[in-house]
Amino acid sequence: MSDEPPPAPVPPPTTPPAGPPRTAADRIPASLRLASDVSWRFLVIVAAAGLLLWLLVLLRVVAIPVAISVLLAALLGPAVVWLVKQRVPRIIATVLVLIGGLAVLVGLLAFVINTFIAGLPELQDQLAASFRSLQELLQGPPFFLPADWLQSIPDQLNQAITENRGALTSGALSTAATVGEIAAGMALVLFSLIFFLYDGPAIWNFLLRAAPAQRRHRVDVAGRRAFAALVGYVRATVLVAVVDAVGIGIGLAIVGVPLVIPLAALVFLGAFIPTVGAVLTGAIAVLVALVANGPIAAIVVLAVVIGVQQLEGHVLQPLLLGRAVSLHPLAVVLAVAAGVVVAGIVGALLAVPLLAVVNTAIRSLTSPVEQLPAEVDPLRPRHANPVEPGPDAEEPPGWIVRLWRRFTSPPAGPDPEGSD
């Protein structure tokens, strides 16, 4: 007999434990689940944006003055900081800049508006002359419109005004209420501007507390870059408006077109509405030249307007605004149109700077790398550009994906500034 032990028994094969039963949700394709997740999140974002827009329209009496004061703070803030660096107390620097800056702005706008109003009678005479010439044109071939019908148009307008005198009176009463709102808005602009110039950094630090602690430094950098873009936008817009008014005014004077100063003032005011304002004011200048001096002068004025606008679009704006505030012309036109629908002329003035601020903030938040907040000066327009990756870096994903990752991924490490 052999002394070897008997072989150990082989255990029976075991089956893996059964998992949880598959539900109906598990049978939905992954792509469809992803699409549904993105869709409901998109609807939530749209609803939140719509609610925010509704609140802004509801509180426009407050929101519009505050927005205007922010624009003025972007224009006057660098002067306050410069005086502080010269060892002037901040309260005194704020008062000096506020008085001097508002005096210059109000004086310039008063000169422009008064000049335009003073030229309105002559402009009305030019329009009347153009109407008479248009009557002669329509009476001849190929239109052959009856002269009685054309001459009765002014009488019909006067009759319509007489019949709707009650509506016009009620409109005047509502205008009186609007004047009161404007006065209250101007007081709010002045009050807000004082605090933005004197205590702007403290106000921004207070607003930063609403951001998540892990992302607070990125939000701080994005806000600083957005305000730097706003500083560059306001500064460049004022300079572009002056260049447009001077250039087109010189062209009108050389051609001999009447109403040179009122038309130049109109061009200056229209330059604050990007793209659309320049086109409208340029068209008015060409029409006045056509009526007053004939088609040759109108063609020369049209060439001057196009030349000045090309200089503005291809030289001045890229040089003054830079890449940080560069927006596609279609985006500018759509923003102006949306601003007109929401808040009229004031909305058209504020739509493009708001778009520039949002665009800069998104570009900063979605940048792969960023600087520390202390390294970004919100009063220097060149600091509006986010840090670019190195030449050997991979092509980053789209900004939507980067923004999604920025706010959904867990933080890579402790907050550099700590949490409150």
Side-chain angles (χ1 to χ4, degrees):
M1 295 183 63
S2 175
D3 295 335
E4 294 180 359
V10 179
T14 59
T15 59
R22 291 175 59 86
T23 62
D26 295 331
R27 298 187 180 94
I28 299 177
S31 58
L32 185 58
R33 288 200 302 270
L34 177 62
S36 63
D37 291 343
V38 173
S39 298
W40 76 257
R41 286 181 171 88
F42 176 76
L43 292 177
V44 169
I45 294 174
V46 170
L51 178 62
L52 178 61
L53 181 61
W54 179 77
L55 289 175
L56 289 177
V57 174
L58 182 65
L59 301 175
R60 61 185 179 274
V61 179
V62 176
I64 291 177
V66 172
I68 294 176
S69 63
V70 172
L71 289 177
L72 293 177
L75 181 63
L76 303 177
V80 173
V81 174
W82 183 82
L83 288 177
V84 170
K85 291 181 179 179
Q86 306 303 318
R87 299 182 179 180
V88 178
R90 192 172 185 89
I91 182 63
I92 298 178
T94 301
V95 172
L96 292 177
V97 171
L98 189 65
I99 295 176
L102 290 182
V104 172
L105 289 177
V106 172
L108 182 61
L109 289 178
F111 170 76
V112 170
I113 295 175
N114 290 333
T115 302
F116 180 73
I117 293 176
L120 275 180
E122 188 176 355
L123 181 60
Q124 291 175 352
D125 295 339
Q126 293 291 338
L127 292 177
S130 65
F131 182 74
R132 289 192 296 268
S133 62
L134 182 62
Q135 281 182 329
E136 297 176 357
L137 176 64
L138 295 177
Q139 291 176 10
F143 302 101
F144 296 106
L145 294 179
D148 297 338
W149 180 79
L150 293 174
Q151 293 176 357
S152 65
I153 292 179
D155 298 333
Q156 293 176 1
L157 292 176
N158 292 330
Q159 182 180 359
I161 293 175
T162 303
E163 293 175 354
N164 295 277
R165 183 172 299 172
L168 294 175
T169 304
S170 62
L173 294 178
S174 64
T175 302
T178 304
V179 170
E181 292 180 358
I182 292 176
M186 292 177 63
L188 184 57
V189 167
L190 182 60
F191 187 77
S192 302
L193 180 59
I194 292 174
F195 283 97
F196 286 155
L197 292 177
Y198 176 71
D199 213 16
I203 295 175
W204 173 242
N205 291 331
F206 173 78
L207 295 177
L208 273 179
R209 295 181 179 274
Q214 295 83 0
R215 309 295 180 189
R216 191 168 297 165
H217 65 288
R218 291 302 300 261
V219 176
D220 191 4
V221 173
R224 290 168 178 265
R225 294 198 187 280
F227 194 79
L230 186 63
V231 171
Y233 174 84
V234 174
R235 186 182 302 173
T237 301
V238 173
L239 293 178
V240 167
V242 172
V243 171
D244 286 354
V246 173
I248 294 179
I250 292 175
L252 294 175
I254 292 176
V255 175
V257 177
L259 305 172
V260 173
I261 296 181
L263 288 176
L266 185 63
V267 170
F268 177 82
L269 295 176
F272 288 92
I273 304 178
T275 305
V276 178
V279 173
L280 292 179
T281 54
I284 293 175
V286 173
L287 289 177
V288 172
L290 177 63
V291 172
N293 299 78
I296 302 299
I299 294 175
V300 174
V301 172
L302 178 61
V304 171
V305 171
I306 293 177
V308 171
Q309 292 181 357
Q310 292 298 314
L311 175 66
E312 167 197 335
H314 293 87
V315 178
L316 291 179
Q317 287 188 352
L319 181 63
L320 297 175
L321 292 178
R323 186 169 50 86
V325 199
S326 60
L327 299 171
H328 196 277
L330 178 60
V332 172
V333 173
L334 293 178
V336 171
V340 171
V341 172
V342 174
I345 299 298
V346 179
L349 293 174
L350 299 178
V352 177
L354 176 61
L355 182 62
V357 166
V358 173
N359 176 54
T360 304
I362 290 177
R363 291 177 61 237
S364 176
L365 288 172
T366 57
S367 178
V369 293
E370 261 295 11
Q371 296 174 292
L372 295 175
E375 299 175 352
V376 179
D377 189 351
L379 299 180
R380 293 183 180 271
R382 62 184 180 88
H383 285 188
N385 293 316
V387 176
E388 297 291 343
D392 299 332
E394 297 181 358
E395 182 69 20
W399 67 268
I400 296 180
V401 177
R402 285 181 279 155
L403 187 61
W404 175 265
R405 291 177 181 175
R406 184 69 60 192
F407 285 97
T408 56
S409 59
D415 182 26
E417 298 180 1
S419 58
D420 295 339

